[in-house]
Amino acid sequence: MAEVDATKSLSGLLNGIAQKVYYNNSEITEELLRSELYPEMSPDEFTALHDKMKGLLKSIATADMDHAQLEAFLTAQTKKQGGGGLSAEQAAALSRFWKSQRVRVKESLVAHSRWEPSLRGLSWRVDLQTAASRRGTAHSGLVALVELELGRTGQVPKLRESRSADQSGPYSQCAQCHCTTVQHYYCPIQVDLNVANKSSKAEEDSEFVCLEFDETKVNQVLKKMADIQESIDRIVHST
């Protein structure tokens, strides 16, 4: 039972660190994590554990480690001597966390490295009415209309709180799976729900740009895209 509790506390700590570092959740503090997950641990001991796990998680996220890299990294950490090394339980917790959250952490890192609006969506169609209205001009022919959706990437959605009358703390239970909110604050069930609810707000924050291309312009764009792809292929093959 104690081993299970220790595993849950480690998972909660990693989730809390991710919420604070990668998902900009200001509600998660070091003191909150200590009081909820490790109440019997002294502040100095918890700070040492918190900083160690935070540093390891940052190293894993910065390198965007795949499965083989992760296993090699964790194995090397478990072989370290002294307090700087990892226990088998800590290595297992890091492995589970990264396998489930790698994609979301990477998306968060990419999102927060952008300063300009990014492309959210693209749609196009051949407009026959526009083409018909332009007959007899120098640009007669089919016309392609391209609509670009631009917008700034927002924050990664957080878990919603669920509080009943007998729960006084700000962190209670997940409404779907009833897990402890701090320990499973980044609950996949709730995240999926929040992503769906977020889509309408994303549309409100978007800007739409409509471009009109005749056949000549379409061919020019396709030629440039082919040139870009060839350049990318050459770089990839050379490395």
Side-chain angles (χ1 to χ4, degrees):
M1 188 67 179
E3 185 175 336
V4 174
D5 291 340
T7 300
K8 288 184 177 180
S9 294
L10 277 172
S11 297
L13 177 59
L14 291 171
N15 285 316
I17 292 172
Q19 281 288 325
K20 182 171 60 172
V21 175
Y22 300 109
Y23 310 133
N24 290 341
N25 185 356
S26 59
E27 295 176 349
I28 301 296
T29 64
E30 185 175 328
E31 178 56 32
L32 173 66
L33 293 174
R34 187 186 72 82
S35 62
E36 291 285 341
L37 302 174
Y38 296 91
E40 298 179 358
M41 187 176 289
S42 70
D44 289 342
E45 290 176 329
F46 178 77
T47 297
L49 175 63
H50 175 276
D51 291 348
K52 180 171 73 172
M53 302 305 284
K54 178 180 176 181
L56 291 169
L57 187 54
K58 278 190 172 183
S59 297
I60 295 170
T62 302
D64 188 27
M65 295 183 184
D66 58 24
H67 177 71
Q69 292 171 325
L70 177 65
E71 293 303 315
F73 176 75
L74 294 178
T75 299
Q77 294 297 318
T78 56
K79 292 181 179 179
K80 279 187 176 181
Q81 301 296 323
L86 278 179
S87 67
E89 292 77 13
Q90 291 171 341
L94 276 165
S95 179
R96 286 192 302 270
F97 174 84
W98 187 242
K99 287 175 183 176
S100 64
Q101 300 299 331
R102 177 186 178 187
V103 173
R104 297 191 187 279
V105 170
K106 182 178 179 180
E107 288 175 350
S108 176
L109 289 172
V110 171
H112 290 95
S113 66
R114 291 173 179 161
W115 288 273
E116 296 298 328
S118 58
L119 181 64
R120 281 182 172 166
L122 182 149
S123 61
W124 67 277
R125 71 180 189 276
V126 175
D127 195 304
L128 299 178
Q129 291 183 351
T130 301
S133 67
R134 297 174 65 171
R135 285 177 184 167
T137 68
H139 302 285
S140 61
L142 296 179
V143 176
L145 297 180
V146 180
E147 185 181 77
L148 306 177
E149 182 185 357
L150 306 176
R152 297 187 182 278
T153 305
Q155 294 182 346
V156 177
K158 299 182 299 183
L159 174 66
R160 283 184 246 155
E161 292 177 7
S162 173
R163 216 189 313 190
S164 61
D166 59 340
Q167 292 170 326
S168 57
Y171 302 97
S172 52
Q173 288 184 335
C174 168
Q176 296 295 319
C177 66
H178 304 292
C179 56
T180 304
T181 306
V182 172
Q183 292 184 351
H184 296 277
Y185 198 81
Y186 200 59
C187 173
I189 298 176
Q190 288 288 65
V191 167
D192 290 340
L193 294 175
N194 287 337
V195 168
N197 292 333
K198 184 187 173 189
S199 60
S200 59
K201 187 178 188 304
E203 293 177 359
E204 296 175 1
D205 297 336
S206 297
E207 295 180 3
F208 294 88
V209 178
C210 188
L211 305 175
E212 187 175 304
F213 296 89
D214 58 21
E215 186 175 357
T216 301
K217 290 182 179 178
V218 169
N219 289 331
Q220 290 174 349
V221 171
L222 292 176
K223 177 64 169 59
K224 288 183 178 180
M225 292 176 66
D227 292 342
I228 292 172
Q229 184 62 54
E230 289 178 5
S231 299
I232 293 174
D233 291 341
R234 283 197 299 270
I235 294 172
V236 171
H237 292 322
S238 64
T239 56

